[in-house]
Amino acid sequence: MNDIIFLVDMQSFYASIEKSANPNLKNQPVVVAGDPERRSGIILAACPLAKKYGVKTAEALWEAQQKCPHLVIVRPRMQLYIDISYQITQILERFTDQVEVFSVDEQFMDLTGCERLFGDMNTIARKVQEEIQEELGVYARVGMGPNKILAKIACDNFAKKNDEGIFYLSQENMKQTMWKLPVGKMFGVGSRMERHFHRMGIQTIGDLANYPVHYLKKRWGINGEVLSNIANGIDYSPVTTHTHNSQKAVGHHMTLPRDYETLEDIKIILLELSEEVAKRARSKNYRGHTVSLGVRGANFDHPTGFHRQIKLTSPTNYGMDLFQAALQLLNKHWDGLPVRSVGVTLSQLQSADVYQLSLFDASVEKDQLSQAMDDIRLKFGQTAIVRASSLRDGGQVFDRSKKIGGHYK
Amino acid sequence: MPNKLTHGHNLMWESSRMMLPEHKEILQQHQQKLNLKTKPQLDEQEVQCLEQQLNEAIHSGSTVTLVIFGPIEHLKLTGKIGMVDHQLRQIKILLPNDELEWVKFKDIMQIE
């Protein structure tokens, strides 16, 4: 017997939430968009009415307004969206305890063996849709399959496009359906990969499925075989609930409100990010051994930037250590061109309970200092104590403390 | 090291998803809540046995290890029993590092 896996996807999630929160918006074209002043002014979600005017996700706000002048623009409320996503997780857990959250608006369910409880899979899918619609006013689409990849493709390419919002993709029907799709529509194939495939004469997913796997492996290694498996509807990964428990890295990334051109300005941001990363590592009781820095240039047409990492002599969760390492990377690799976004990541994590003391490094002092700062922040708020450099106009801490994922809470 | 092709692992999905840290946090708390333990009901003989052991430990002044109930994780405390407070139904444990800890009778699950 086959497993039954669902991928439940919310239609224009943020926009739907805003529409059900405010009934006045019901028959109006609504988009959720960031602040245009701060360059996060892109469309995060557009409701189906807005999409009819040709408004697309991720385009600039002004572009959307040109297409649809009476567009209703709503500011994002990230915390609300996370809370609703969590409510949906709880609704799905009424059907099965095997629920894996894949993103804020997509969740996997494993319903193998649940038919006797709730009926066949189409019945369950409709019930899932009904309960989410009734309780939260969001329309959910359900992709079904014998494994996660077929459920995902069923949802992205078929359930989203048909009237009932439900589609079952199996090893049997995938040759008549999925294989006919252009290869660029496949999960895991971006525009660059698509170009490579076109050059190799692969146009559809079916072409890729029948392409000898050893050529793909030779050219792209593991990833080549993964893509071949996907095209053949093969996926052995389980639906796991504890997928978010283990952490490999702590990172922070920021798109700057304007292009930063001087080393002075970039250093301010670098220190803020380092402090932030260190703070989060400490709160999770981690130390990390490797620091990586990513910088992206401001000019989209001539993409510049780098992503490099450096291994520290000893694991740390102290902000200044991260900053020193990141600065070293910046000095070495930065080409001096204006910078649009910066990210600092601490990886190779280990528990902070046990660590090797360093002879030449006052680690006890650093620990006490960090501890004191964390305590102050815990009691008086995240911006109660900040580096003096953050008070200069390049500083972003105060703005960031009001945001989740770069958008207002 | 497992890679994206290893059966039973979830790397293919984990490497391609986007999750906000704040969202992960909520889900981790949720998982913890699902696994909360309820306190086991001790039967009479077991309570008697615990009492006896406790008595012995107090009188002999020996070091004992107590297993104390916790909803997420049970706690193990090793030390000498210092004082018994019948009013509040708790005992004082002297830990080897000169700290002390009050423990409620009803939270004790095991004595060694």
Side-chain angles (χ1 to χ4, degrees), chain A residues 213-246:
Chain A
V213 65
H214 61 269
Y215 289 127
L216 298 171
K217 248 164 100 174
K218 200 168 168 191
R219 184 148 177 203
W220 288 293
I222 287 169
N223 211 30
E225 197 176 341
V226 169
L227 289 174
S228 172
N229 281 352
I230 293 176
N232 282 294
I234 299 169
D235 179 13
Y236 296 101
S237 29
V239 173
T240 65
T241 53
H242 48 259
T243 172
H244 301 292
N245 294 358
S246 64

Side-chain angles (χ1 to χ4, degrees), chain B residues 33-92:
Chain B
K33 264 190 242 159
L34 290 181
N35 296 324
L36 287 191
K37 292 174 199 145
T38 46
K39 198 151 56 175
Q41 296 257 313
L42 300 181
D43 77 355
E44 238 169 85
Q45 275 116 13
E46 237 174 315
V47 174
Q48 234 169 38
C49 181
L50 283 180
E51 268 170 25
Q52 214 169 8
Q53 282 176 307
L54 210 54
N55 243 322
E56 236 170 77
I58 292 166
H59 288 293
S60 65
S62 54
T63 304
V64 289
T65 302
L66 297 160
V67 179
I68 291 150
F69 171 79
I72 295 165
E73 219 177 0
H74 295 327
L75 184 70
K76 269 192 169 182
L77 277 182
T78 305
K80 289 191 173 80
I81 293 168
M83 208 177 110
V84 181
D85 180 346
H86 287 284
Q87 191 104 56
L88 292 170
R89 304 184 63 72
Q90 58 186 9
I91 55 172
K92 186 157 79 177

Side-chain angles (χ1 to χ4, degrees), chain A residues 82-83 85-86 93 100-103 108 148-149 187 222-223 225-226 229 235-238 240-241 243-245 284 404-405, chain B residues 3-14 16-31 33-34:
Chain A
I82 291 176
D83 292 342
S85 172
Y86 176 46
E93 281 179 348
E100 175 185 334
V101 180
F102 182 60
S103 70
F108 284 109
K148 284 161 84 173
I149 193 66
F187 177 80
I222 287 169
N223 211 30
E225 197 176 341
V226 169
N229 281 352
D235 179 13
Y236 296 101
S237 29
T240 65
T241 53
T243 172
H244 301 292
N245 294 358
K284 304 218 152 178
I404 291 180
Chain B
N3 63 40
K4 286 188 190 177
L5 290 169
T6 320
H7 292 195
H9 282 270
N10 204 14
L11 278 179
M12 185 173 106
W13 299 97
E14 282 172 6
S16 68
R17 72 181 171 207
M18 290 266 281
M19 287 282 289
L20 293 165
E22 290 82 358
H23 191 188
K24 276 191 187 178
E25 194 78 31
I26 289 187
L27 293 171
Q28 280 167 15
Q29 281 168 12
H30 177 66
Q31 286 299 325
K33 264 190 242 159
L34 290 181

